[in-house]
Amino acid sequence: MEKRNLGAIILAAGQGTRMRSDRPKVLHPLAGRPMVRHLLATVNALAPDRVAVVVGPGMEDVARAAAPAPTFLQLERLGTAHAVLAARALFENFDGDVLILFGDTPLITVPTIEAMLAARAAKPSPAVVVLGMRAPLPNEYARLVLDASGGLKAIVEYRDADTATRALPLSNSGVMAVAGRRLFAWLDRIGRDNAKGEYYLTDIVRLARAEGQTCAVIEGEMAELLGINSRAELAAAEAVVQQGLRLRAMAAGATLIAPETVFFSHDTRLGRDVTVGPFTHFGPGVSVGDRVEIKGFCHFEQARIAADAIVGPYARLRPGAAIGTGAHIGNFVEIKNADVEAGAKINHLSYVGDARVGANANIGAGTITCNYDGFDKHHTDIGAGAFIGSNTALVAPVAVGDGAYIGAGSTITQDVPADALGIERAQERQVAGWGPKFKARKEAAEGQPKAGPKGTA
Ligand code: UD1
Ligand code: MG
């Protein structure tokens, strides 16, 4: 197929009132990434020559999320045709296909867009290719009216449609591929004499036909064309995205024991033969090496886990956690901004933050790095092969040398040299025969009124 120029315009000027949110609708995330970035990733996979995002006033955050794609401001929300016109400057003298997409319909896939572009490339080429869908009736999408040969005759907005038109089975998803050379000339001629008083992009079909051009329809899957207008629809779209990510993970060689309970981010990377137990959440920026075993009920975010590590159950890896090859991270262990080197073990009930844990070190149950003094964060360095006894508080900044031991229950405030024992513990006292005397005293007191605190007898 000859290489055709491709442009894309994403309409995102709507605030999304029904989300009842302070943030613009297209910034709500799917799989940890704003909707608009989701859509841009899909569009960018097609290597477009020009991409524009149309935003409304005060939507600087959307512009930031869309960058490096340029944004164009639609000052007043006067309809979809008016919105496309806002991006006109980027498409001066553009000869090729212009895709028009809605920011709140972000699940469309590359193959679907490719099918639309293939339809545009057919000879003779339809001037407008519209993506249709068979939405369950009743619904308030616009209806696609076909001619006798299956070409697209008109798009009628629901509010402007009569009963017979409303009964038509094909609806307009909103996605279109239009001949770039004619697009803006047609948009200039669209009026707003309709039920909503808006400039309807969908009127383009009538104008193209009036010039003797043909228009065509490609059918898409409903699941890809879900529009997101409310939190409930956001959740439904999230479910679709998660299902896709789970299938992708399994296809790439991961075992998900209960796939429906595992939640990925768009950028989660899993190696081969990774096993993920139930109820695990992967926030953004997580990579997992080959053969890692994740025992479920874990929460990860911006963390790296190297090959052959064992993590969980109930482990939390926060930003900057790097778990080395074959390391073990056990239950109720939280790691933040720390390198846990190869073969190290932190198996129970610990907090390790702003630290290095050297190779093969063993961190006992209940070890805490006291990294924060209320103002600054401080570093803890634990050497290779060190052994930290249970219930140790390491008051940072502090270092424990290679091969050093820390006695259980210590609060360590000074550096411990390599191979030394660091122990901080009050002298233990033994009182011989104390037990029977204590019991006798208690038993004698039984049956007598208890002495309460002063004044409450
Ligand atoms: C639109 C279509 C309709 C289709 C439906 C599918 C038109 C006239 N109608 O209707 O045929 O069945 O989507 O969901 O195109 N937007 C702007 N600026 C505007 C108006 C809209 O940027 O002035 C953006 C919105 O942010 C949204 C998209 O365009 O992303 C669609 O707008 P919306 O108002 O939801 O259109 P519908 O009435 O749903
Ligand atoms: Mg809509």
CSV table of all heavy atoms in Angstrom, one decimal, residues 3-54:
chain,number,residue,atom,x,y,z
A,3,LYS,N,2.3,4.9,0.8
A,3,LYS,CA,2.3,5.6,2.1
A,3,LYS,C,1.5,6.9,1.9
A,3,LYS,O,1.8,7.7,1.1
A,3,LYS,CB,3.8,5.9,2.5
A,3,LYS,CG,3.9,7.0,3.6
A,3,LYS,CD,3.6,6.4,5.0
A,3,LYS,CE,3.8,7.5,6.1
A,3,LYS,NZ,2.6,7.9,6.8
A,4,ARG,N,0.4,7.0,2.7
A,4,ARG,CA,-0.4,8.2,2.7
A,4,ARG,C,-0.1,9.0,3.9
A,4,ARG,O,0.2,8.5,5.0
A,4,ARG,CB,-1.9,7.7,2.7
A,4,ARG,CG,-2.3,6.9,1.5
A,4,ARG,CD,-3.6,6.1,1.8
A,4,ARG,NE,-4.7,7.0,2.1
A,4,ARG,CZ,-5.6,7.4,1.1
A,4,ARG,NH1,-5.4,6.9,-0.1
A,4,ARG,NH2,-6.6,8.2,1.4
A,5,ASN,N,-0.3,10.3,3.8
A,5,ASN,CA,-0.2,11.2,4.9
A,5,ASN,C,-1.3,10.9,5.9
A,5,ASN,O,-2.4,10.7,5.5
A,5,ASN,CB,-0.2,12.6,4.5
A,5,ASN,CG,1.1,13.0,3.7
A,5,ASN,OD1,2.1,12.5,4.0
A,5,ASN,ND2,0.9,13.8,2.7
A,6,LEU,N,-0.9,10.9,7.2
A,6,LEU,CA,-2.0,10.7,8.2
A,6,LEU,C,-1.9,11.8,9.2
A,6,LEU,O,-0.9,12.2,9.8
A,6,LEU,CB,-1.7,9.4,8.9
A,6,LEU,CG,-2.7,9.0,10.1
A,6,LEU,CD1,-4.1,8.9,9.6
A,6,LEU,CD2,-2.2,7.7,10.8
A,7,GLY,N,-3.1,12.4,9.5
A,7,GLY,CA,-3.2,13.4,10.6
A,7,GLY,C,-4.3,12.9,11.5
A,7,GLY,O,-5.1,12.1,11.2
A,8,ALA,N,-4.3,13.4,12.8
A,8,ALA,CA,-5.3,13.0,13.7
A,8,ALA,C,-5.7,14.3,14.6
A,8,ALA,O,-4.8,15.1,14.9
A,8,ALA,CB,-4.8,11.9,14.6
A,9,ILE,N,-6.9,14.4,14.8
A,9,ILE,CA,-7.4,15.4,15.7
A,9,ILE,C,-8.3,14.8,16.8
A,9,ILE,O,-9.2,14.0,16.5
A,9,ILE,CB,-8.3,16.4,14.9
A,9,ILE,CG1,-7.5,17.0,13.8
A,9,ILE,CG2,-8.8,17.5,15.8
A,9,ILE,CD1,-8.3,17.9,12.8
A,10,ILE,N,-7.8,15.0,18.0
A,10,ILE,CA,-8.5,14.5,19.2
A,10,ILE,C,-9.3,15.6,19.9
A,10,ILE,O,-8.8,16.6,20.3
A,10,ILE,CB,-7.5,13.9,20.2
A,10,ILE,CG1,-6.8,12.7,19.5
A,10,ILE,CG2,-8.2,13.4,21.5
A,10,ILE,CD1,-5.7,12.1,20.4
A,11,LEU,N,-10.6,15.4,19.9
A,11,LEU,CA,-11.5,16.4,20.5
A,11,LEU,C,-11.6,16.2,22.0
A,11,LEU,O,-12.0,15.1,22.5
A,11,LEU,CB,-12.9,16.4,19.9
A,11,LEU,CG,-12.9,16.6,18.4
A,11,LEU,CD1,-14.4,16.7,17.9
A,11,LEU,CD2,-12.1,17.7,17.9
A,12,ALA,N,-11.2,17.1,22.8
A,12,ALA,CA,-11.2,17.0,24.3
A,12,ALA,C,-11.6,18.3,25.0
A,12,ALA,O,-11.2,18.5,26.1
A,12,ALA,CB,-9.9,16.5,24.7
A,13,ALA,N,-12.5,19.1,24.3
A,13,ALA,CA,-12.8,20.4,25.0
A,13,ALA,C,-13.9,20.2,26.0
A,13,ALA,O,-14.1,21.1,26.8
A,13,ALA,CB,-13.2,21.4,23.9
A,14,GLY,N,-14.6,19.1,26.0
A,14,GLY,CA,-15.7,18.9,27.0
A,14,GLY,C,-15.1,18.7,28.4
A,14,GLY,O,-14.1,18.1,28.6
A,15,GLN,N,-15.8,19.4,29.4
A,15,GLN,CA,-15.3,19.3,30.8
A,15,GLN,C,-15.7,17.9,31.4
A,15,GLN,O,-15.0,17.4,32.2
A,15,GLN,CB,-15.9,20.5,31.6
A,15,GLN,CG,-15.4,20.5,33.0
A,15,GLN,CD,-13.9,20.6,33.3
A,15,GLN,OE1,-13.2,21.3,32.5
A,15,GLN,NE2,-13.4,20.0,34.3
A,16,GLY,N,-16.8,17.4,30.9
A,16,GLY,CA,-17.3,16.1,31.4
A,16,GLY,C,-18.1,16.3,32.6
A,16,GLY,O,-17.8,15.7,33.7
A,17,THR,N,-19.2,17.1,32.6
A,17,THR,CA,-20.0,17.4,33.7
A,17,THR,C,-20.4,16.2,34.5
A,17,THR,O,-20.4,16.2,35.7
A,17,THR,CB,-21.2,18.2,33.3
A,17,THR,OG1,-20.9,18.9,32.1
A,17,THR,CG2,-21.7,19.1,34.3
A,18,ARG,N,-20.8,15.2,33.8
A,18,ARG,CA,-21.3,14.0,34.5
A,18,ARG,C,-20.3,13.2,35.3
A,18,ARG,O,-20.7,12.3,36.1
A,18,ARG,CB,-22.0,13.1,33.5
A,18,ARG,CG,-23.4,13.5,33.1
A,18,ARG,CD,-24.1,12.6,32.1
A,18,ARG,NE,-23.5,12.8,30.8
A,18,ARG,CZ,-23.7,12.0,29.8
A,18,ARG,NH1,-24.3,10.9,30.0
A,18,ARG,NH2,-23.1,12.3,28.6
A,19,MET,N,-19.0,13.5,35.1
A,19,MET,CA,-18.0,12.9,36.0
A,19,MET,C,-18.1,13.5,37.4
A,19,MET,O,-17.5,12.9,38.3
A,19,MET,CB,-16.6,13.1,35.4
A,19,MET,CG,-16.3,12.5,34.1
A,19,MET,SD,-16.4,10.7,34.2
A,19,MET,CE,-14.8,10.3,34.9
A,20,ARG,N,-18.7,14.7,37.5
A,20,ARG,CA,-18.7,15.4,38.8
A,20,ARG,C,-17.3,15.4,39.4
A,20,ARG,O,-17.0,14.9,40.5
A,20,ARG,CB,-19.7,14.8,39.8
A,20,ARG,CG,-21.1,14.7,39.2
A,20,ARG,CD,-22.1,14.5,40.3
A,20,ARG,NE,-23.4,14.1,39.7
A,20,ARG,CZ,-24.1,14.9,39.0
A,20,ARG,NH1,-23.8,16.2,38.9
A,20,ARG,NH2,-25.3,14.5,38.4
A,21,SER,N,-16.4,16.1,38.6
A,21,SER,CA,-15.0,16.1,39.0
A,21,SER,C,-14.4,17.4,38.8
A,21,SER,O,-14.9,18.2,38.0
A,21,SER,CB,-14.3,15.1,38.1
A,21,SER,OG,-12.9,15.1,38.3
A,22,ASP,N,-13.4,17.7,39.6
A,22,ASP,CA,-12.6,19.0,39.4
A,22,ASP,C,-11.6,18.8,38.2
A,22,ASP,O,-11.0,19.8,37.8
A,22,ASP,CB,-11.9,19.4,40.7
A,22,ASP,CG,-13.0,19.8,41.7
A,22,ASP,OD1,-14.1,20.2,41.3
A,22,ASP,OD2,-12.7,19.7,42.9
A,23,ARG,N,-11.4,17.6,37.8
A,23,ARG,CA,-10.4,17.5,36.7
A,23,ARG,C,-11.1,17.2,35.4
A,23,ARG,O,-12.1,16.5,35.4
A,23,ARG,CB,-9.3,16.6,37.1
A,23,ARG,CG,-9.6,15.1,37.1
A,23,ARG,CD,-8.3,14.3,37.3
A,23,ARG,NE,-8.5,13.3,38.3
A,23,ARG,CZ,-7.6,12.3,38.5
A,23,ARG,NH1,-6.6,12.2,37.8
A,23,ARG,NH2,-7.9,11.4,39.5
A,24,PRO,N,-10.5,17.7,34.3
A,24,PRO,CA,-11.1,17.4,33.0
A,24,PRO,C,-11.2,15.9,32.8
A,24,PRO,O,-10.4,15.1,33.2
A,24,PRO,CB,-10.1,18.0,32.0
A,24,PRO,CG,-9.3,19.0,32.8
A,24,PRO,CD,-9.3,18.5,34.2
A,25,LYS,N,-12.3,15.6,32.1
A,25,LYS,CA,-12.6,14.2,31.9
A,25,LYS,C,-11.5,13.3,31.3
A,25,LYS,O,-11.2,12.3,31.8
A,25,LYS,CB,-13.9,14.1,31.0
A,25,LYS,CG,-14.3,12.7,30.7
A,25,LYS,CD,-15.7,12.6,30.3
A,25,LYS,CE,-16.0,13.1,28.9
A,25,LYS,NZ,-17.4,12.8,28.5
A,26,VAL,N,-10.8,13.9,30.3
A,26,VAL,CA,-9.8,13.1,29.6
A,26,VAL,C,-8.5,12.9,30.5
A,26,VAL,O,-7.6,12.2,30.0
A,26,VAL,CB,-9.4,13.7,28.3
A,26,VAL,CG1,-10.6,13.7,27.3
A,26,VAL,CG2,-8.8,15.1,28.4
A,27,LEU,N,-8.5,13.5,31.7
A,27,LEU,CA,-7.3,13.2,32.5
A,27,LEU,C,-7.6,12.1,33.5
A,27,LEU,O,-6.7,11.7,34.3
A,27,LEU,CB,-6.9,14.5,33.3
A,27,LEU,CG,-6.3,15.6,32.4
A,27,LEU,CD1,-5.9,16.8,33.2
A,27,LEU,CD2,-5.2,15.1,31.5
A,28,HIS,N,-8.8,11.7,33.6
A,28,HIS,CA,-9.1,10.5,34.4
A,28,HIS,C,-8.3,9.3,33.9
A,28,HIS,O,-8.3,9.1,32.7
A,28,HIS,CB,-10.6,10.2,34.6
A,28,HIS,CG,-11.2,11.2,35.5
A,28,HIS,ND1,-11.5,11.0,36.8
A,28,HIS,CD2,-11.6,12.5,35.2
A,28,HIS,CE1,-12.1,12.0,37.3
A,28,HIS,NE2,-12.1,13.0,36.4
A,29,PRO,N,-7.7,8.5,34.8
A,29,PRO,CA,-6.8,7.5,34.3
A,29,PRO,C,-7.5,6.2,33.9
A,29,PRO,O,-8.6,5.8,34.5
A,29,PRO,CB,-5.9,7.2,35.4
A,29,PRO,CG,-6.6,7.6,36.6
A,29,PRO,CD,-7.6,8.7,36.2
A,30,LEU,N,-7.0,5.5,33.0
A,30,LEU,CA,-7.3,4.1,32.7
A,30,LEU,C,-6.0,3.3,32.8
A,30,LEU,O,-5.0,3.7,32.2
A,30,LEU,CB,-7.8,3.9,31.3
A,30,LEU,CG,-9.2,4.4,31.0
A,30,LEU,CD1,-9.5,4.4,29.5
A,30,LEU,CD2,-10.2,3.6,31.8
A,31,ALA,N,-5.9,2.3,33.6
A,31,ALA,CA,-4.7,1.5,33.8
A,31,ALA,C,-3.5,2.4,34.1
A,31,ALA,O,-2.4,2.3,33.6
A,31,ALA,CB,-4.4,0.6,32.6
A,32,GLY,N,-3.8,3.4,35.0
A,32,GLY,CA,-2.8,4.3,35.5
A,32,GLY,C,-2.3,5.4,34.5
A,32,GLY,O,-1.3,6.0,34.7
A,33,ARG,N,-3.0,5.6,33.4
A,33,ARG,CA,-2.6,6.6,32.4
A,33,ARG,C,-3.8,7.4,32.0
A,33,ARG,O,-4.9,6.8,31.7
A,33,ARG,CB,-2.0,5.8,31.3
A,33,ARG,CG,-1.8,6.6,30.0
A,33,ARG,CD,-1.0,5.9,29.0
A,33,ARG,NE,-1.6,4.7,28.4
A,33,ARG,CZ,-1.1,4.0,27.4
A,33,ARG,NH1,0.1,4.3,27.0
A,33,ARG,NH2,-1.7,3.0,26.9
A,34,PRO,N,-3.7,8.8,31.9
A,34,PRO,CA,-4.9,9.6,31.5
A,34,PRO,C,-5.4,9.1,30.2
A,34,PRO,O,-4.7,8.7,29.3
A,34,PRO,CB,-4.3,11.0,31.4
A,34,PRO,CG,-3.0,11.0,32.1
A,34,PRO,CD,-2.5,9.6,32.2
A,35,MET,N,-6.8,9.1,30.1
A,35,MET,CA,-7.4,8.7,28.9
A,35,MET,C,-6.8,9.3,27.6
A,35,MET,O,-6.6,8.6,26.6
A,35,MET,CB,-8.9,9.3,28.9
A,35,MET,CG,-9.9,8.5,29.6
A,35,MET,SD,-11.4,9.4,29.3
A,35,MET,CE,-12.1,9.4,30.9
A,36,VAL,N,-6.5,10.6,27.7
A,36,VAL,CA,-6.0,11.2,26.5
A,36,VAL,C,-4.6,10.7,26.1
A,36,VAL,O,-4.4,10.5,24.9
A,36,VAL,CB,-5.9,12.8,26.7
A,36,VAL,CG1,-4.9,13.2,27.7
A,36,VAL,CG2,-5.7,13.5,25.3
A,37,ARG,N,-3.8,10.2,27.1
A,37,ARG,CA,-2.6,9.6,26.7
A,37,ARG,C,-2.8,8.2,26.1
A,37,ARG,O,-2.0,7.8,25.3
A,37,ARG,CB,-1.6,9.6,27.9
A,37,ARG,CG,-1.1,10.9,28.4
A,37,ARG,CD,0.3,10.8,29.0
A,37,ARG,NE,1.3,10.3,28.1
A,37,ARG,CZ,1.8,11.1,27.1
A,37,ARG,NH1,1.5,12.3,27.0
A,37,ARG,NH2,2.7,10.6,26.3
A,38,HIS,N,-3.8,7.6,26.6
A,38,HIS,CA,-4.1,6.3,26.1
A,38,HIS,C,-4.4,6.4,24.6
A,38,HIS,O,-3.9,5.6,23.8
A,38,HIS,CB,-5.4,5.9,26.8
A,38,HIS,CG,-5.5,4.5,27.2
A,38,HIS,ND1,-4.8,4.0,28.3
A,38,HIS,CD2,-6.0,3.4,26.6
A,38,HIS,CE1,-5.0,2.7,28.4
A,38,HIS,NE2,-5.7,2.3,27.4
A,39,LEU,N,-5.3,7.3,24.3
A,39,LEU,CA,-5.6,7.5,22.9
A,39,LEU,C,-4.4,8.0,22.0
A,39,LEU,O,-4.2,7.5,20.9
A,39,LEU,CB,-6.8,8.6,22.9
A,39,LEU,CG,-7.6,8.7,21.6
A,39,LEU,CD1,-8.1,7.4,21.1
A,39,LEU,CD2,-8.8,9.7,21.9
A,40,LEU,N,-3.6,8.9,22.6
A,40,LEU,CA,-2.4,9.3,21.9
A,40,LEU,C,-1.5,8.1,21.6
A,40,LEU,O,-0.9,8.1,20.5
A,40,LEU,CB,-1.7,10.4,22.7
A,40,LEU,CG,-2.3,11.8,22.5
A,40,LEU,CD1,-1.8,12.7,23.6
A,40,LEU,CD2,-2.1,12.4,21.2
A,41,ALA,N,-1.4,7.2,22.5
A,41,ALA,CA,-0.5,6.1,22.3
A,41,ALA,C,-1.0,5.2,21.2
A,41,ALA,O,-0.2,4.8,20.3
A,41,ALA,CB,-0.4,5.2,23.6
A,42,THR,N,-2.3,5.1,21.1
A,42,THR,CA,-2.9,4.3,20.0
A,42,THR,C,-2.6,5.0,18.6
A,42,THR,O,-2.2,4.4,17.7
A,42,THR,CB,-4.4,4.1,20.2
A,42,THR,OG1,-4.6,3.5,21.4
A,42,THR,CG2,-5.0,3.3,19.1
A,43,VAL,N,-2.9,6.3,18.6
A,43,VAL,CA,-2.7,7.1,17.4
A,43,VAL,C,-1.2,7.1,17.0
A,43,VAL,O,-0.8,6.9,15.8
A,43,VAL,CB,-3.2,8.6,17.6
A,43,VAL,CG1,-2.7,9.5,16.5
A,43,VAL,CG2,-4.7,8.6,17.8
A,44,ASN,N,-0.3,7.3,18.0
A,44,ASN,CA,1.1,7.3,17.7
A,44,ASN,C,1.6,6.0,17.1
A,44,ASN,O,2.6,6.0,16.4
A,44,ASN,CB,1.9,7.8,18.9
A,44,ASN,CG,1.7,9.2,19.2
A,44,ASN,OD1,1.4,10.0,18.3
A,44,ASN,ND2,1.9,9.6,20.4
A,45,ALA,N,1.0,4.9,17.5
A,45,ALA,CA,1.4,3.6,16.9
A,45,ALA,C,1.2,3.6,15.4
A,45,ALA,O,1.8,2.8,14.7
A,45,ALA,CB,0.6,2.5,17.6
A,46,LEU,N,0.4,4.5,14.9
A,46,LEU,CA,0.2,4.6,13.4
A,46,LEU,C,1.2,5.5,12.7
A,46,LEU,O,1.0,5.8,11.6
A,46,LEU,CB,-1.2,5.0,13.1
A,46,LEU,CG,-2.3,4.0,13.6
A,46,LEU,CD1,-3.6,4.6,14.0
A,46,LEU,CD2,-2.5,2.9,12.5
A,47,ALA,N,2.1,6.1,13.5
A,47,ALA,CA,3.1,7.0,13.0
A,47,ALA,C,2.5,8.2,12.2
A,47,ALA,O,2.8,8.4,11.0
A,47,ALA,CB,4.2,6.3,12.1
A,48,PRO,N,1.6,8.9,12.8
A,48,PRO,CA,1.0,10.0,12.1
A,48,PRO,C,1.9,11.2,11.8
A,48,PRO,O,2.9,11.3,12.5
A,48,PRO,CB,-0.1,10.5,13.0
A,48,PRO,CG,0.4,10.1,14.4
A,48,PRO,CD,1.2,8.9,14.2
A,49,ASP,N,1.6,11.9,10.8
A,49,ASP,CA,2.5,13.1,10.4
A,49,ASP,C,2.1,14.3,11.3
A,49,ASP,O,3.0,15.1,11.6
A,49,ASP,CB,2.3,13.4,8.9
A,49,ASP,CG,2.6,12.2,8.1
A,49,ASP,OD1,3.8,11.9,7.9
A,49,ASP,OD2,1.6,11.5,7.6
A,50,ARG,N,0.8,14.4,11.6
A,50,ARG,CA,0.4,15.6,12.5
A,50,ARG,C,-0.7,15.1,13.4
A,50,ARG,O,-1.6,14.4,13.0
A,50,ARG,CB,-0.2,16.7,11.6
A,50,ARG,CG,0.8,17.2,10.6
A,50,ARG,CD,0.3,18.3,9.7
A,50,ARG,NE,1.1,18.4,8.5
A,50,ARG,CZ,0.9,19.3,7.5
A,50,ARG,NH1,-0.1,20.1,7.6
A,50,ARG,NH2,1.7,19.3,6.5
A,51,VAL,N,-0.5,15.6,14.7
A,51,VAL,CA,-1.6,15.2,15.7
A,51,VAL,C,-1.9,16.5,16.4
A,51,VAL,O,-1.1,17.2,16.9
A,51,VAL,CB,-1.0,14.2,16.7
A,51,VAL,CG1,-2.1,13.9,17.7
A,51,VAL,CG2,-0.6,12.9,16.0
A,52,ALA,N,-3.2,16.7,16.6
A,52,ALA,CA,-3.7,17.9,17.3
A,52,ALA,C,-4.7,17.5,18.4
A,52,ALA,O,-5.5,16.5,18.2
A,52,ALA,CB,-4.4,18.9,16.4
A,53,VAL,N,-4.6,18.1,19.5
A,53,VAL,CA,-5.6,17.9,20.6
A,53,VAL,C,-6.4,19.2,20.8
A,53,VAL,O,-5.7,20.2,21.0
A,53,VAL,CB,-5.0,17.4,21.9
A,53,VAL,CG1,-6.0,17.2,23.0
A,53,VAL,CG2,-4.2,16.1,21.6
A,54,VAL,N,-7.7,19.1,20.8
A,54,VAL,CA,-8.5,20.3,21.0
A,54,VAL,C,-9.0,20.4,22.4
A,54,VAL,O,-9.6,19.4,22.9
A,54,VAL,CB,-9.7,20.4,20.0
A,54,VAL,CG1,-10.6,21.6,20.2
A,54,VAL,CG2,-9.2,20.4,18.5
